[in-house]
Amino acid sequence: GRLAKEAPGLELRVVAAQPQLGLDMLESNQVELVAGYYPKPGANLRTRFLFEEKVVCLVRASHPCLQRPWNLDAYLGYGHVNLAAHTRYFSERIDQALLAQNRTRRVALTLSSYLACPFVVGNSDLVATVPASVASALGKQAGTVTLEVPLPLPMLTVSLYWHERHHRDPAHAWVRQFIGAMFN
């Protein structure tokens, strides 16, 4: 609503990032902006930090793990949902943190949708490690509850990325500023 008031002639087209290729879409000029977590953007890309948030575990409200102490063994005792298509880098951080403890998780399902994840978890014994905002926005409707991740993980950092070719474009800069101001 605010964007429509401040820029009534602006037309946006929001597209799903191709799995694991979000920044490549910037390089090839398929898109002009990408929001997400990419720890090593290319030299031709610019970045603006937007926000960071913690990740949580999502399980169904009647999950058997809720009947016993929640710890790393319980976390690893169930199949996991991997959101690798969009969070490949963060999924890798989960797996690296586990490997540092000589542990691994069993990925039972890989999804490309944050929206589908809570509903899949809500109807299974799977565990998902997701951004807290995803769990809080969709958890109640999906019949899920959140638990702390029993593993030391960093915050999930979300930034805005664009290619150098658009950096000096005034309209592009205005949109970037508008988006950035939403998170300040």
Side-chain angles (χ1 to χ4, degrees):
R2 190 172 136 220
L3 182 60
K5 282 183 181 177
E6 292 189 33
L10 181 68
E11 291 182 24
L12 291 179
R13 186 170 60 106
V14 178
V15 298
Q18 295 173 6
Q20 301 182 7
L21 298 176
L23 296 186
D24 292 340
M25 293 174 76
L26 289 172
E27 291 284 357
S28 64
N29 211 22
Q30 294 175 31
V31 297
E32 293 182 23
L33 292 167
V34 170
Y37 171 69
Y38 298 93
K40 297 177 184 175
N44 293 333
L45 301 181
R46 297 285 187 120
T47 304
R48 178 182 178 150
F49 170 81
L50 295 176
F51 64 92
E52 66 180 9
E53 69 177 310
K54 72 179 202 169
V55 293
V56 297
C57 292
L58 195 63
V59 299
R60 69 180 166 95
S62 58
H63 196 287
C65 75
L66 300 173
Q67 304 304 314
R68 58 186 258 209
W70 180 246
N71 54 32
L72 187 57
D73 288 335
Y75 177 73
L76 296 176
Y78 296 93
H80 285 251
V81 175
N82 191 4
L83 289 158
H86 292 296
T87 61
R88 169 182 59 175
Y89 298 109
F90 202 81
S91 292
E92 287 173 358
R93 289 178 96 172
I94 295 169
D95 293 332
Q96 289 167 357
L98 288 167
L99 282 175
Q101 297 186 33
N102 294 317
R103 307 293 295 269
T104 59
R105 63 185 174 147
R106 183 179 61 83
V107 173
L109 175 66
T110 300
L111 289 176
S112 62
S113 171
Y114 278 122
L115 295 176
C117 182
F119 297 96
V120 169
V121 169
N123 287 290
S124 71
D125 283 344
L126 297 174
V127 174
T129 306
V130 299
S133 60
V134 171
S136 66
L138 299 171
K140 187 174 183 179
Q141 298 93 319
T144 61
V145 295
T146 60
L147 299 167
E148 293 294 319
V149 181
L151 183 69
L153 291 176
M155 297 287 278
L156 177 64
T157 302
V158 177
S159 296
L160 190 62
Y161 302 86
W162 63 96
H163 195 277
E164 180 67 34
R165 75 175 71 84
H166 299 294
H167 186 65
R168 294 191 182 355
D169 179 302
H172 200 275
W174 185 91
V175 171
R176 294 190 313 261
Q177 179 63 31
F178 182 89
I179 293 170
M182 292 172 56
F183 298 98
N184 292 335

